[in-house]
Amino acid sequence: MIIVGSVRPGRAGLPVAQWVRSVAEADDRFALDFVDLAELALPFMDEPEHPSKRAYTKPHTIAWSRRVDAADAFIFVTPEYNHSFSPALKNALDFLGSEWSHKPVGFVSYGGVSAGSRGVALLEPTLTTLGLARVGASVEINAIGRRIVDGAFAPEEKDVSILGRMLDQLDDLQGRLASLR
């Protein structure tokens, strides 16, 4: 599953995620579910019970739970906002509990000088709590404004190489974790 972690109008995340999608689709190891959080439109946490109970009452939560449950691995395409993570991505993570557990995750982050790495670092405690296992390869894109050309992301060779390593690591780790789910 590829998740576009920003909902901001004019966001750079959508063209970046579309590039990730095109690379992953060309790899026959993966069946993809592309989730644009702007389209998913989850409200701010509105379930009456804790996600650990899986006693969901809202159709949007039930549908989100099914999609995440069906996924074997995740790539989060996410910005850094004010040295932190995207609130839309954090909300999408917090809606669920065990659906995330024992699944690998990779990050394609973007931003200014830090390339989104500070936001990803601050998500680590959430990933650990939810049981997600982060792979080592991370695509980090700095100066994102200069990398979107005519509405499309213009990857550099290093981006393509790192994304390839990430896909290899996601495939390997999801196989190793499958028996734990």
Side-chain angles (χ1 to χ4, degrees):
M1 176 182 283
I2 297 168
I3 298 176
V4 185
S6 173
V7 297
R8 177 185 283 173
R11 62 211 153 121
L14 189 57
V16 172
Q18 290 166 336
W19 165 70
V20 171
R21 179 187 203 172
S22 70
V23 172
E25 283 178 338
D27 189 321
D28 63 359
R29 295 176 292 178
F30 303 101
L32 294 180
D33 183 3
F34 188 85
V35 179
D36 181 347
L37 292 181
E39 290 178 7
L40 188 64
L42 288 172
F44 191 70
M45 177 65 78
D46 66 346
E47 286 289 343
E49 298 290 338
H50 190 279
S52 64
K53 294 182 179 181
R54 287 186 87 159
Y56 307 130
T57 62
K58 310 287 191 223
H60 56 261
T61 311
I62 294 166
W64 181 228
S65 172
R66 287 183 183 141
R67 287 178 82 174
V68 171
D69 236 358
D72 293 322
F74 305 96
I75 297 176
F76 297 156
V77 178
T78 187
E80 178 180 313
Y81 293 147
N82 299 320
H83 293 222
S84 191
F85 45 77
S86 158
L89 179 57
K90 180 68 165 68
N91 187 53
L93 288 164
D94 287 346
F95 252 90
L96 307 176
S98 63
E99 294 91 338
W100 302 107
S101 189
H102 302 298
K103 296 179 182 180
V105 62
F107 283 91
V108 177
S109 64
Y110 58 92
V113 175
S114 75
S117 61
R118 295 176 293 211
V120 171
L122 289 174
L123 276 171
E124 292 283 348
T126 301
L127 302 179
T128 301
T129 299
L130 292 172
L132 285 159
R134 185 174 172 195
V135 298
S138 291
V139 179
E140 297 173 337
I141 306 162
N142 64 359
I144 189 65
R146 290 184 260 152
R147 306 283 301 281
I148 306 295
V149 180
D150 296 326
F153 175 65
E156 296 176 353
E157 283 185 42
K158 72 175 177 86
D159 302 320
V160 174
S161 176
I162 295 168
L163 181 57
R165 282 198 309 274
M166 180 191 299
L167 292 173
D168 290 343
Q169 291 172 5
L170 287 167
D171 184 51
D172 177 61
L173 192 53
Q174 71 84 21
R176 293 171 189 264
L177 293 173
S179 66
L180 299 175
R181 292 195 287 272

